[in-house]
């Protein structure tokens, strides 16, 4: 990977935008097979002290890299705007086309956040979707960017109180499309549960679910509630607040059309964020458990006759390293099931 770099201290958005045009024009003049990517803008707002960690996560996005990434690093006490613009590319072989991607690092202070839209807007590529990701808060800065934002990337597991996290996500859903990393952590579990009940003879069991237990990492209660909310919304369960403390355990019962479902969320000791296991029991005796294991999910099923079988579902999880890349990819898609699952999860939050 080759790079062309421009930098300037105490600069302004117009100078940055002009520098980017100069970098791209110069590179294309030297090799007409190099063309700029034009799919997505990505704006990231981070604390200066955590810039390296976030930059490493962005590098692991791989082929889902945005066309232009604007990394805004906030440093207390800073009053000037410094910038580094980089265009990255690989020289294409004969007869092939190479793609150029751009990254702008802005070092700014808290006072710049009050008018962040006027800083960022001139640097965005027009007529392209724009994603905003602010993993360290800065809610006011995000609000300033909403008029130029198409997608908000957030993680409901970042906040210790799921109710607060879901309220934030719900308020943003009214204005932009929301991609929630906590929701994406449930994807392999939702896929495997749906596949397990996809058989014609198995589908009726979904109407008589009697028990649901979700096991999750201590800081991933939001992910657990979103999975429960997904099932509750899809199976038309009547929701009521669970009892307990987020981060410890939650339990309660919800009404299905012709019965009751015992619902439990409890912690599981694991290093990776997200879910660790899920158990679904259906009348009269069907029980399916999926648990995180080496190389995939460990499945354990007992049928109504008492027969038990176990197997491994290989490669079921994308891993935490792939979550951010999947989040960027989802910005180009639309998942109609998330808003309904989010509403149900809010209703299951402890009162």
């Amino acid at each position: 990977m080759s790079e062309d770099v421009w930098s300037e201290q105490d600069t302004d958005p117009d100078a940055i935008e002009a520098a980017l045009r100069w970098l791209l024009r110069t590179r294309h003049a030297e090799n007409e097979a190099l063309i700029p990517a034009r799919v997505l803008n990505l704006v990231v707002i981070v604390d200066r002290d955590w810039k390296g960690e976030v930059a490493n996560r962005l590098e692991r996005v791989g082929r889902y890299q945005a066309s232009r990434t604007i990394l805004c690093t906030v440093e207390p006490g800073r009053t000037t705007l410094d910038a580094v613009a980089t265009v990255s590319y690989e020289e294409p072989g004969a007869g092939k086309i190479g793609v150029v991607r751009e990254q702008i690092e802005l070092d700014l202070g808290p006072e710049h956040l009050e008018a962040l839209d006027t800083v960022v807007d001139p640097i965005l590529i027009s007529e392209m979707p724009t994603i905003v990701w602010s993993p360290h808060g800065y809610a006011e800065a995000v609000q300033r960017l909403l008029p130029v934002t198409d997608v908000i990337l957030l993680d409901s597991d970042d906040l210790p109180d799921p109710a607060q996290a879901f309220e934030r996500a719900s308020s943003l859903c009214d204005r932009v499309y929301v991609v929630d990393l906590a929701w994406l952590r449930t994807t392999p579990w939702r896929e495997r549960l749906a596949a397990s009940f996809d058989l014609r003879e198995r589908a009726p069991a979904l109407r008589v679910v009697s028990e649901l237990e979700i096991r999750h990492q201590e800081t991933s209660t939001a992910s657990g509630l979103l999975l429960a909310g997904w099932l509750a919304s899809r199976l038309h369960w009547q929701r009521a607040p669970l009892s307990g403390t987020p981060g410890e355990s939650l339990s309660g019962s919800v009404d299905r059309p012709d019965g009751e479902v015992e619902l439990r969320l409890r912690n599981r000791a694991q290093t990776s964020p997200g879910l660790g296991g899920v158990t679904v029991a259906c009348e009269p005796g069907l029980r399916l458990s999926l648990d995180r294991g080496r190389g995939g999910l460990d499945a354990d099923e007992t049928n109504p006759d008492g027969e038990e079988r176990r197997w491994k579902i290989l490669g079921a999880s994308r891993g935490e390293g792939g979550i951010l890349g999947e989040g960027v990819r989802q910005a180009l898609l639309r998942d109609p099931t998330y808003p309904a699952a989010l509403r149900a999860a809010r209703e299951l939050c402890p009162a």
Side-chain angles (χ1 to χ4, degrees):
M1 182 70 68
S2 300
E3 294 181 344
D4 298 334
V5 181
W6 169 92
S7 65
E8 187 171 282
Q9 295 181 331
D10 197 8
T11 188
D12 59 72
D14 289 337
I16 299 168
E17 195 274 335
L20 282 165
R21 283 190 284 109
W22 176 78
L23 287 171
L24 290 170
R25 185 170 59 248
T26 301
R27 180 49 46 200
H28 182 69
E30 294 183 2
N31 187 342
E32 294 184 354
L34 289 170
I35 60 173
R38 289 297 178 261
V39 180
L40 285 172
N41 294 301
L42 172 61
V43 181
V44 185
I45 309 168
V46 300
D47 290 333
R48 175 72 179 180
D49 292 342
W50 291 92
K51 173 185 173 181
E53 188 270 342
V54 172
N56 287 336
R57 291 187 66 182
L58 290 172
E59 287 181 3
R60 294 198 296 270
V61 167
R63 63 194 179 100
Y64 298 128
Q65 289 282 353
S67 306
R68 179 173 290 181
T69 300
I70 303 173
L71 182 62
C72 305
T73 61
V74 185
E75 182 179 358
R78 172 179 282 275
T79 58
T80 60
L81 176 66
D82 297 349
V84 178
T86 305
V87 296
S88 305
Y89 53 91
E90 289 186 10
E91 295 288 352
K96 296 183 178 181
I97 292 176
V99 177
V100 178
R101 286 186 169 84
E102 305 135 64
Q103 177 166 313
I104 303 96
E105 295 185 11
L106 303 178
D107 293 331
L108 43 78
E111 66 180 37
H112 294 103
L113 298 180
E114 300 173 2
L116 190 59
D117 53 332
T118 64
V119 175
V120 168
D121 191 23
I123 313 173
L124 294 172
I125 304 171
S126 60
E127 299 181 359
M128 262 183 14
T130 296
I131 315 172
V132 172
W133 179 40
S134 184
H136 303 141
Y138 298 113
E140 293 182 2
V142 172
Q143 289 292 323
R144 295 289 301 187
L145 291 177
L146 282 180
V148 297
T149 299
D150 300 282
V151 180
I152 291 289
L153 186 65
L154 55 80
D155 189 346
S156 290
D157 282 330
D158 280 344
L159 298 180
D161 183 0
Q164 183 181 355
F166 295 154
E167 181 179 356
R168 174 189 63 172
S170 297
S171 64
L172 289 170
C173 280
D174 294 334
R175 301 186 62 179
V176 294
Y177 181 64
V178 172
V179 175
D180 192 339
L181 299 186
W183 171 248
L184 296 185
R185 292 189 183 98
T186 71
T187 300
W189 305 89
R190 289 185 282 118
E191 290 175 345
R192 301 306 168 178
L193 284 173
S196 297
F197 289 91
D198 194 42
L199 298 174
R200 180 177 299 178
E201 63 271 17
R202 181 67 63 82
L206 290 172
R207 295 196 294 267
V208 287
V209 174
S210 59
E211 178 185 341
L212 172 64
E213 179 178 279
I214 299 170
R215 299 171 286 282
H216 57 83
Q217 203 245 25
E218 181 180 1
T219 61
S220 297
T221 303
S223 289
L225 285 168
L226 284 169
L227 180 64
W230 170 68
L231 281 168
S233 63
R234 302 298 288 177
L235 299 177
H236 306 292
W237 297 345
Q238 296 296 318
R239 281 85 70 177
L242 302 176
S243 301
T245 303
E248 296 179 6
S249 63
L250 302 175
S251 63
S253 60
V254 296
D255 292 329
R256 66 175 197 243
D258 58 350
E260 191 174 77
V261 182
E262 293 296 323
L263 181 56
R264 296 188 300 275
L265 278 75
R266 61 183 181 87
N267 292 346
R268 169 175 166 161
Q270 61 184 45
T271 57
S272 300
L275 306 184
V278 58
T279 297
V280 179
C282 308
E283 298 172 354
L286 175 65
R287 190 176 190 87
L288 172 66
S289 290
L290 302 175
D291 284 282
R292 184 190 294 262
R294 184 181 296 275
L297 300 181
D298 295 323
D300 188 331
E301 180 182 284
T302 303
N303 66 25
D305 296 328
E307 298 176 350
E308 185 175 357
R309 67 188 187 102
R310 298 176 180 176
W311 70 99
K312 172 77 76 173
I313 303 175
L314 298 176
S317 175
R318 295 173 176 85
E320 185 62 21
I323 288 294
L324 183 58
E326 180 64 14
V328 175
R329 189 181 78 90
Q330 287 290 328
L332 296 173
L333 307 173
R334 290 296 182 266
D335 185 348
T337 58
Y338 173 69
L342 177 63
R343 287 192 295 271
R346 290 187 73 186
E347 294 170 358
L348 291 172
C349 280

